[in-house]
Amino acid sequence: MTPGIPSPALPPGRKEQRGPRQHRSCCCMMKHAWDNYKRYAWGLNELKPISKQGHSSNLFGNIQGATIVDALDTLYIMEMKEEFKEAKEWVEKNLDFNVNAEISVFEVNIRFVGGLLSAYYLSGEEIFRKKAVELGEKLLPAFNTPTGIPWALLNIKSGIGRNWPWASGGSSILAEFGTLHLEFIHLSHLSGNPLFAEKVMNIRKVLNRLDKPEGLYPNYLNPSSGQWGQHHVSIGGLGDSFYEYLLKAWLMSGKTDEEGRKMYYDAVQAIETHLIRKSSGGLTYIAEWKGGLLEHKMGHLTCFAGGMFALGADGAPNDKTGHHIELGAEIARTCHESYDRTSMKLGPEAFRFDGGVEAIATRQNEKYYILRPEVIETYMYMWRLTHDPKYRQWGWEAVEALEKYCRVDGGYSGIRDVYNNHQSHDDVQQSFFLSETLKYLYLLFSEDDLLPFEHWVFNTEAHPLPGRQSCAFTLGD
Ligand code: DMJ
């Protein structure tokens, strides 16, 4: 059995796991989210919890069942056995990739491929391996570009790809093509087909040939010319999980992927020099960089970086382990402040450090909260790596706020303005609420030996993948 994972069926005589009160609350939240999805939107991508019907997003084209696939491993980890079984049956009978659909390669990879891979590694059920490889094969034509940098969008029937019309100069997006690595390495491992790994290793080759402004990676790269688009740099939206996957590729390889390690620590060095700043009130934040000028704004998405810095601390060069943990702790504190300074105690989509404010959203279109996980994700990493009880306290504050403002009869909904107590719901229960937010909360209140970091890395959608030392992982030898 894989270390840290409950066996699929409880052995005779073993009692049901009883966690603390907080731990059980996370399971109740999962049950409420799942039961309502099942009641009102079964088989569709997501739930509209106010109007009590399905919600479809064009990210998945007409591939269906995003919530089911994204939630599989959370159900498994929380030992919700009946629910896991019905989800598996749905996958067996209904999950169909032979559709004429234009999909986001990134979203389908992190949610569907990642979800299926984790479900396979946790349960050992062959159907999940088969479906993951089948879907991976459908994604391969996205790499048919002059440089091998994949398209953002792909029609999985025709194999024709293109980029988002809004992306600078027809570019592909760093956080999208840079967030395929973990899953594709596993696809090669599980299928015996080296092509998946070759495709993602080539992305690194292209990146390593390019000059980087001040050592930073712009968010836009043209897949035909191999040149950067606009020089915008972000550790939040459009950039975020590229950096995360450099670190995790190295960790997942059993710390043998030297190239990933070097790219990660070099990037962090440049981020520290050019993007990380301290406000006059003493809050550390990560700004955005636009052609050399800083925009003093931090996105909710950027808050994942606290956990990333702490996770990477152990391998930090030049005796900088303590410094990277401290950086993680400072980002966690800033992101907690962004929650604490709202009336709902839930954080806005973006907050600013200019015009006399600190960690507060000033623009109406940045005040929403869509059940995102990044702040709780960072609390979970910080808790595991420091055991400072404040991270569990902060996680519990988030649970209370979610229960008070986001829980509705028909599930959980995002909020349009976290500074206004007369809440207006956005009527979407995002699939990542089940795969990430609730899983990270559950792990925050669990013992460290559940999915221990020595054996598992989490993909950017919180799907755990085993590292080399855990699964006789030989690819790349
Ligand atoms: C998730 O799909 C992933 O965490 C992704 O990396 C960023 N956005 C969402 C959650 O906010």
Side-chain angles (χ1 to χ4, degrees):
M1 196 178 83
T2 319
I5 283 300
S7 58
L10 283 173
R14 191 183 143 193
K15 288 210 186 102
E16 255 339 300
Q17 196 174 332
R18 289 261 179 274
R21 182 170 62 97
Q22 292 89 340
H23 197 236
R24 280 199 304 279
S25 300
C26 301
C27 297
C28 294
M29 293 171 80
M30 182 67 182
K31 181 118 181 77
H32 184 66
W34 178 261
D35 285 350
N36 279 292
Y37 165 75
K38 192 175 145 193
R39 188 167 306 128
Y40 301 116
W42 184 245
L44 302 173
N45 278 326
E46 290 173 320
L47 165 69
K48 284 163 88 73
I50 306 281
S51 37
K52 299 184 175 169
Q53 61 185 26
H55 173 250
S56 55
S57 146
N58 54 6
L59 298 173
F60 316 118
N62 48 6
I63 298 181
Q64 296 297 332
T67 294
I68 299 179
V69 178
D70 234 3
L72 278 164
D73 52 9
T74 309
L75 295 172
Y76 190 89
I77 293 160
M78 292 186 181
E79 301 190 48
M80 294 171 63
K81 298 197 177 86
E82 267 312 302
E83 291 83 355
F84 180 79
K85 191 166 155 258
E86 65 203 3
K88 183 192 138 205
E89 279 165 14
W90 186 89
V91 168
E92 264 161 352
K93 293 193 191 124
N94 301 291
L95 184 59
D96 184 13
F97 304 130
N98 292 311
V99 288
N100 187 359
E102 188 181 60
I103 51 106
S104 153
V105 174
F106 161 77
E107 295 289 352
V108 165
N109 176 60
I110 65 170
R111 302 193 202 204
F112 283 85
V113 178
L116 291 164
L117 287 172
S118 287
Y120 171 67
Y121 283 116
L122 293 172
S123 69
E125 298 281 358
E126 170 63 14
I127 179 71
F128 299 128
R129 190 195 69 83
K130 194 173 140 255
K131 287 283 178 190
V133 174
E134 184 191 333
L135 180 54
E137 281 164 359
K138 294 264 178 200
L139 298 182
L140 284 174
F143 294 82
N144 294 339
T145 64
T147 55
I149 295 292
W151 299 113
L153 299 166
L154 177 73
N155 182 305
I156 55 173
K157 181 156 194 242
S158 66
I160 294 175
R162 66 182 177 116
N163 275 336
W164 297 106
W166 49 261
S168 157
S171 292
S172 303
I173 305 293
L174 182 71
E176 297 197 329
F177 65 76
T179 310
L180 303 167
H181 199 100
L182 305 183
E183 297 80 0
F184 274 51
I185 294 288
H186 273 282
L187 286 174
S188 275
H189 172 62
L190 291 179
S191 66
N193 179 356
L195 209 55
F196 298 105
E198 284 166 21
K199 298 289 182 197
V200 289
M201 292 312 287
N202 175 63
I203 293 177
R204 283 200 186 160
K205 209 177 283 165
V206 174
L207 289 173
N208 279 326
R209 274 201 302 260
L210 280 165
D211 280 339
K212 287 162 236 11
E214 310 286 359
L216 297 165
Y217 289 84
N219 292 334
Y220 301 102
L221 179 60
N222 187 300
S224 304
S225 65
Q227 298 303 312
W228 300 118
Q230 277 172 328
H231 282 195
H232 288 182
V233 178
S234 166
I235 314 307
L238 308 184
D240 48 9
S241 41
F242 161 69
Y243 304 96
E244 174 186 355
Y245 271 35
L246 293 176
L247 171 65
K248 290 181 176 176
W250 175 59
L251 296 174
M252 195 177 85
S253 71
K255 301 193 176 173
T256 59
D257 177 2
E258 273 303 309
E259 182 179 56
R261 185 193 67 80
K262 181 170 176 356
M263 288 172 80
Y264 172 72
Y265 290 109
D266 287 353
V268 171
Q269 183 62 58
I271 290 166
E272 272 211 76
T273 310
H274 298 287
L275 269 56
I276 297 191
R277 294 290 177 269
K278 203 170 228 156
S279 70
S280 48
L283 294 178
T284 301
Y285 62 96
I286 313 178
E288 312 235 325
W289 192 86
K290 298 198 164 161
L293 295 178
L294 284 187
E295 189 179 8
H296 298 271
K297 154 187 153 180
M298 187 163 166
H300 193 288
L301 288 165
T302 319
C303 287
F304 89 98
M308 177 180 76
F309 292 142
L311 182 66
D314 199 26
N318 309 323
D319 293 332
K320 285 209 163 162
T321 298
H323 173 69
H324 282 221
I325 289 273
E326 189 45 35
L327 203 50
E330 287 180 22
I331 299 298
R333 182 163 82 91
T334 300
C335 293
H336 175 255
E337 285 299 316
S338 80
Y339 274 47
D340 208 44
R341 294 176 187 198
T342 71
S343 46
M344 289 190 178
K345 308 292 174 198
L346 290 167
E349 179 66 5
F351 43 94
R352 298 196 173 249
F353 296 85
D354 55 16
V357 304
E358 298 202 354
I360 289 180
T362 49
R363 303 186 183 183
Q364 195 53 40
N365 64 357
E366 293 175 345
K367 294 184 178 173
Y368 62 89
Y369 171 67
I370 57 166
L371 305 174
R372 286 197 192 277
E374 292 77 16
V375 175
I376 292 165
E377 173 181 354
T378 277
Y379 296 162
M380 191 280 291
Y381 280 101
M382 292 310 304
W383 162 256
R384 282 244 177 137
L385 296 162
T386 66
H387 289 139
D388 183 331
K390 75 172 175 242
Y391 297 114
R392 279 188 163 175
Q393 260 165 43
W394 291 353
W396 188 246
E397 287 169 14
V399 167
E400 289 181 324
L402 285 165
E403 288 301 276
K404 188 158 176 199
Y405 296 110
C406 299
R407 187 187 178 109
V408 292
D409 248 13
Y412 288 87
S413 168
I415 297 285
R416 290 189 205 279
D417 182 351
V418 288
Y419 298 92
N420 181 350
N421 263 344
H422 302 287
Q423 76 256 40
S424 159
H425 291 117
D426 70 2
D427 199 14
V428 183
Q429 178 176 285
Q430 306 277 347
S431 77
F432 53 67
F433 182 64
L434 291 88
S435 72
E436 295 195 72
T437 312
L438 293 179
K439 187 188 289 132
Y440 285 135
L441 278 170
Y442 184 77
L443 292 174
L444 173 65
F445 297 114
S446 296
E447 297 299 320
D448 296 354
D449 61 359
L450 179 62
L451 299 170
F453 292 169
E454 308 88 86
H455 297 290
W456 297 87
V457 294
F458 293 85
N459 91 338
T460 195
E461 188 78 0
H463 296 305
L465 299 170
R468 176 180 225 148
Q469 64 282 51
S470 312
C471 62
F473 194 54
T474 52
L475 196 97
D477 273 346

